[in-house]
């Protein structure tokens, strides 16, 4: 699809809208929009009160569409998410009552407080965009984006996300605390209502679907694709890694790099797009050797080292 000036302006307007609500987090906002344009899902991991939920609400208001929120807890059942079939005596048949997952933007707040059985109800939706209830398959509205939050500090009453589910999140992001100037502005500007409630709608779902199609069509040269694959395979060959990035991770990095190029107003991917996204796309998928964890090695360190040791493709022109 052709990249028009109006589409580029729309991306810029959405980014500016989010930045007016979440102060000082331009990089995180850009990465969140990258996930949306790449039709992926994002895991927001941070301590309470840093604006994770506000960011998701601001995104929902900015792009319109349906928005639902699930407050995860150990009592949450899979059918509380996917929906349930209820017998209708008059009709003498079962009628499907859809759950909150039938939406465009789904916020799973504190996802690690749901049991592993409930978490697994999201796997089919994240990968295939549909759910199966009582043997019947139901397609989800498009686009469908899952935005999950979790607190990395609290462990009581939480369940670790399995590797299969972590691998389905395109990126893992952390907002962190704002700097002093932004926090001061935040305190002064906070009124009775939440900042996200005052945001105008910038786009609609049809705009998002069109931008996703444009992002899918962004060109990636074979040399850049080979560079991307070498980085992903490099994580599997690192001596400190027990389980490296999967082929699904390579596809996710490719789609994210294309979406990032679109946000940079380009219709082609450059190696820098891959380099800057390698860490948020790959790090949460790595499982380190016990010795490496004991020595304080982080998955982010592994990805950074792998990117640094991978030769960047260079094209010489006369």
């Amino acid at each position: 699809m052709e990249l028009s000036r109006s589409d580029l302006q729309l991306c810029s307007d959405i980014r500016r809208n989010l930045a007016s609500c979440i102060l000082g987090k331009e990089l995180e906002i850009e990465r969140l929009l990258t996930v949306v344009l790449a039709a992926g899902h994002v895991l927001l991991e941070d301590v309470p009160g840093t604006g994770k939920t506000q960011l998701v609400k601001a995104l929902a208001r900015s792009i319109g569409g349906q928005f639902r929120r699930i407050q995860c807890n150990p009592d949450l059942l899979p059918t509380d998410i996917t929906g349930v079939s209820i017998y209708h005596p008059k009709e003498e048949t079962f009628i499907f009552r859809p759950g909150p997952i039938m939406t465009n933007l789904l916020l799973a707040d504190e996802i690690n407080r749901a049991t592993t059985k409930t978490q697994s109800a999201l796997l089919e939706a994240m990968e295939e965009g549909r759910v199966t209830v009582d043997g019947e398959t139901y397609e989800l509205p498009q686009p469908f984006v899952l935005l999950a939050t979790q607190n990395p500090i609290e462990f009581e009453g939480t369940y670790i996300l399995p590797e299969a589910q972590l691998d389905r999140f395109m990126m893992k992001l952390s907002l962190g605390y704002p700097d002093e100037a932004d926090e001061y502005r935040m305190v002064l500007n906070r009124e009775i209502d939440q900042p996200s409630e005052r945001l105008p709608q910038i786009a609609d779902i049809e705009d998002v679907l069109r931008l996703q199609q444009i992002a899918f069509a962004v060109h990636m040269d074979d040399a850049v694709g080979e560079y991307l694959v070498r980085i992903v395979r490099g994580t599997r060959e690192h001596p400190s890694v027990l389980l490296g990035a999967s082929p699904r991770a390579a596809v996710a990095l490719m789609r994210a790099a294309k979406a990032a190029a679109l946000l940079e107003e380009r219709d082609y991917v450059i190696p820098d797009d891959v380099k800057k996204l390698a860490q948020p796309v790959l790090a949460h998928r790595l499982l380190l050797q016990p010795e490496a964890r004991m020595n304080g090695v982080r998955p982010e360190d592994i990805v950074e080292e792998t990117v640094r040791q991978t030769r960047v493709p260079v094209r010489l022109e006369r």
Side-chain angles (χ1 to χ4, degrees), residues 38 170 215-216 218 220 225 228 232 248-260 269 274 277 281:
M170 178 171 284
F216 296 157
V218 169
M220 175 177 284
L228 182 152
V232 174
R248 183 190 286 121
V251 174
L253 183 54
M254 177 270 294
R255 289 164 49 190
K258 289 187 173 186
V269 178
V274 178
L277 291 174
V281 172

Side-chain angles (χ1 to χ4, degrees), residues 29-75:
I29 289 172
E30 179 182 346
R31 287 177 174 174
L32 177 61
L33 289 180
T34 299
V35 172
V36 173
L37 296 183
H41 311 286
V42 64
L43 177 63
L44 295 167
E45 182 180 85
D46 217 327
V47 295
T50 53
K52 301 186 296 295
T53 304
Q54 279 298 305
L55 178 59
V56 176
K57 287 183 176 181
L59 174 65
R61 287 191 66 88
S62 296
I63 66 175
Q66 297 177 333
F67 171 67
R68 297 289 184 274
R69 176 177 178 175
I70 303 171
Q71 188 63 49
C72 298
N73 57 70
D75 295 332

